[in-house]
Amino acid sequence: MRELVVRQLLGGQIWFGCAAVLLIIIAVDVLRLLDGRSGAVRAGRFLLVLLVPLSALTGTPVPLYLVIALAILWLSYAFAGFQNESQWLRRGVGAGLATLVLIAVVRELPYHARPTIDAGSGPIYVIGDSISSGGFGETLPWPDLLARMTGLAVVNLAQPSETTRSAMQYQVPKLTSDRAVVLEIGGNDLLDGLPAGAFEQQLDELLGALRPEGSDRPVLMFELPIPPGRWAFGAAQRRVARRHGAPLIPKRLLVDVLLDPGLVADGLHLTDAGHRRVAQIVARSIGRQKVVDSRK
């Protein structure tokens, strides 16, 4: 149960659950369905307080302007609008808060949908760190399995311990064509405590090198699972991805792999089953059906 909760938190699904519960509370309050039910009113107030830190724990990078607006209306509703005798105040503040929550949900939904790119006839280049490089006891890393699954040539440039800066220095120069690139990078920047601003600058340089002005190279990137307190890091990755037209593979998919004991060997590096799962995720995101059994 604990593992499931952590997975849902880091994957961002609980964020949507918090939004749904808040909308339900507002609806039943505005419709006066809680009036006269002291136990239900206490539960509603408790949930209003609980939902804020719970949603923050998901690491969902909501834009700062939206966070400020949500905080102001949430505080107004929690301490003035909820169960207020004035229907105007109750409905007005509640409707305003519900509108902002729906705006936030609509903004977040696209980041949880699986993207697809046209990888053409290959080759596909993989730029990444130890999750992609292999060398930790597995039979084959996921880029090699991807080649078997899709029948496309896959050039694995990933190296252990790489960051956005070192990938720019050592991996990007090895690209020999303008074919598709899959990026699995940034985890070491996050673990090393790199400031979000520096990460954004380095990732922007990396994407700029992969997709210079006028380039139509397809680039697919894994979104990083973001721990609480590092929201700016996730927001930076999303801004750079939008700027360069690089769709993000939802973080929940990588979280499901990294938090499955059967898919990781040491809490981070993948087992054979883990590499197979990641290869399947990427194969689906490039619109390729499995044409060769990856277990062979």
Side-chain angles (χ1 to χ4, degrees), residues 2-15:
R2 178 183 176 184
E3 178 188 317
L4 177 62
V5 171
V6 173
R7 185 179 300 184
Q8 297 288 312
L9 274 171
L10 292 179
Q13 294 95 320
I14 283 182
W15 189 88

Side-chain angles (χ1 to χ4, degrees), residues 14-53:
I14 283 182
W15 189 88
F16 290 103
C18 291
V21 172
L22 181 55
L23 291 173
I24 291 171
I25 292 173
I26 294 172
V28 297
D29 180 46
V30 168
L31 294 173
R32 307 192 73 97
L33 300 180
L34 298 180
D35 290 10
R37 303 181 180 183
S38 58
V41 170
R42 285 195 297 271
R45 289 192 186 280
F46 173 76
L47 284 175
L48 281 174
V49 173
L50 177 65
L51 289 175
V52 173

Side-chain angles (χ1 to χ4, degrees), residues 166-181:
S166 62
M168 176 71 177
Q169 184 176 359
Y170 298 114
Q171 297 184 41
V172 171
K174 296 179 181 178
L175 297 173
T176 58
S177 74
D178 59 355
R179 300 298 186 178
V181 172

Side-chain angles (χ1 to χ4, degrees), residues 32-225:
R32 307 192 73 97
L33 300 180
L34 298 180
D35 290 10
R37 303 181 180 183
S38 58
V41 170
R42 285 195 297 271
R45 289 192 186 280
F46 173 76
L47 284 175
L48 281 174
V49 173
L50 177 65
L51 289 175
V52 173
L54 188 58
S55 60
L57 284 173
T58 65
T60 301
V62 179
L64 183 60
Y65 73 88
L66 195 52
V67 169
I68 294 173
L70 280 167
I72 292 173
L73 275 180
W74 173 79
L75 290 172
S76 300
Y77 181 70
F79 296 104
F82 183 71
Q83 284 291 291
N84 196 291
E85 288 302 317
S86 167
Q87 278 292 87
W88 179 88
L89 187 60
R90 183 187 294 196
R91 290 177 178 175
V93 179
L97 179 57
T99 299
L100 284 183
V101 170
L102 288 173
I103 290 173
V105 167
V106 170
R107 288 191 82 266
E108 184 64 20
L109 274 173
Y111 292 105
H112 291 257
R114 289 176 182 260
T116 57
I117 65 169
D118 181 6
S121 58
I124 297 172
Y125 295 93
V126 175
I127 290 178
D129 50 34
S130 57
I131 290 179
S132 302
S133 66
F136 296 90
E138 70 289 311
T139 304
L140 289 173
W142 69 260
D144 292 347
L145 295 174
L146 178 66
R148 291 190 176 193
M149 289 179 180
T150 62
L152 297 174
V154 178
V155 181
N156 188 9
L157 302 176
Q159 294 293 327
S161 304
E162 292 281 66
T163 63
T164 48
R165 182 178 293 280
S166 62
M168 176 71 177
Q169 184 176 359
Y170 298 114
Q171 297 184 41
V172 171
K174 296 179 181 178
L175 297 173
T176 58
S177 74
D178 59 355
R179 300 298 186 178
V181 172
V182 177
L183 265 179
E184 178 278 305
I185 201 73
N188 289 318
D189 298 87
L190 180 62
L191 294 174
D192 291 345
L194 184 71
F199 170 69
E200 181 168 5
Q201 180 181 357
Q202 292 174 21
L203 185 62
D204 187 64
E205 292 174 1
L206 178 58
L207 266 294
L210 295 176
R211 288 180 59 89
E213 187 174 352
S215 171
D216 58 357
R217 179 203 299 273
V219 176
L220 182 69
M221 181 162 50
F222 278 91
E223 183 174 16
L224 297 170

